[in-house]
Structure formats: structure tokens, C-alpha cells
Amino acid sequence: MSGKSTMFAGIYLNQEVISDLEWLLKTISKAIGVHFMDTTYWENSSADMVIWTNASLKLGMAFVYAENGFAYQIKPNNTMAKIDIFFLKLLTVWIQLQYSTH
């Protein structure tokens, strides 16, 4: 965050963010086939669900799920704010998790 001078200082989270984080915690804990720390290889045919994601700093974000493609275009902004590719990739995963579980 720009202007922040104290390392590891707390930040305010509103109720909507807290609710989303609680949803993610509950969803991940029930996701038996999802491994976030272990490296494992398996064939797509043995998976319950296969989701492909991608993000680009110039074009936007996209994911493919259940033979449907979803794309979110980046709109140019007039600010000096820089967009981080890792944020976009994380956001793409977050969107597909939200979509595929509802």
C-alpha cells in the first residue's frame, strides 16, 4: 500500500472482506482434492473439475470452466497506479473459485 511506513502494521477490513475471507477458509478446508502446498500430478480425466485460468497486464483475465469461457477486459485508467500481474493472477483464481462453487 502506498504511503505505508510501518512494516506488518494492521489494516482495517470491512465486513464484506471478512465475510469473503471466511467463505474462502471454509471452502478450502472442505476442498479435499485441492492441494495448495504439495506438488502432485494427475490426469485431467481423474479430476472432478478442471479450470484453466490466465491473466495479462495488457488484456485482462480469463478462465475456462465446464466448457464455458469467461473473460474480463482491463479498462485503461488515467491514474499512475500500477497493476501487479500476481494480483491479477490471484484475482483470476478468486473469481473462478467464486463462480465454480455457486
Side-chain angles (χ1 to χ4, degrees), residues 77-90:
N77 65 49
N78 296 330
T79 68
M80 295 301 291
K82 292 186 179 186
I83 299 173
D84 186 288
I85 188 63
F86 297 109
F87 170 75
L88 288 180
K89 289 182 179 284
L90 179 61

Side-chain angles (χ1 to χ4, degrees), residues 3 18 27-28 31-32 35 41 46 51 54 60 76 78-79 81 85 89 100-101:
I18 292 170
T27 300
I28 289 174
I32 296 170
H35 298 275
Y41 177 81
S46 65
I51 300 172
N54 201 359
N78 296 330
T79 68
I85 188 63
K89 289 182 179 284
S100 63
T101 58

Side-chain angles (χ1 to χ4, degrees), residues 7-89:
M7 295 287 289
F8 306 108
I11 59 171
Y12 175 77
L13 299 177
N14 64 29
Q15 188 58 44
E16 184 176 358
V17 171
I18 292 170
S19 176
D20 285 347
L21 290 172
E22 288 173 342
W23 171 87
L24 181 62
L25 178 65
K26 185 172 30 170
T27 300
I28 289 174
S29 66
K30 292 179 182 177
I32 296 170
V34 177
H35 298 275
F36 286 94
M37 298 301 203
D38 298 331
T39 302
T40 306
Y41 177 81
W42 63 83
E43 296 293 329
N44 286 349
S45 60
S46 65
D48 294 329
M49 175 188 324
V50 177
I51 300 172
W52 298 93
T53 65
N54 201 359
S56 165
L57 286 173
K58 295 182 180 178
L59 301 175
M61 306 172 291
F63 67 93
V64 177
Y65 163 71
E67 298 181 15
N68 293 300
F70 301 88
Y72 300 90
Q73 182 179 12
I74 293 178
K75 294 182 181 178
N77 65 49
N78 296 330
T79 68
M80 295 301 291
K82 292 186 179 186
I83 299 173
D84 186 288
I85 188 63
F86 297 109
F87 170 75
L88 288 180
K89 289 182 179 284

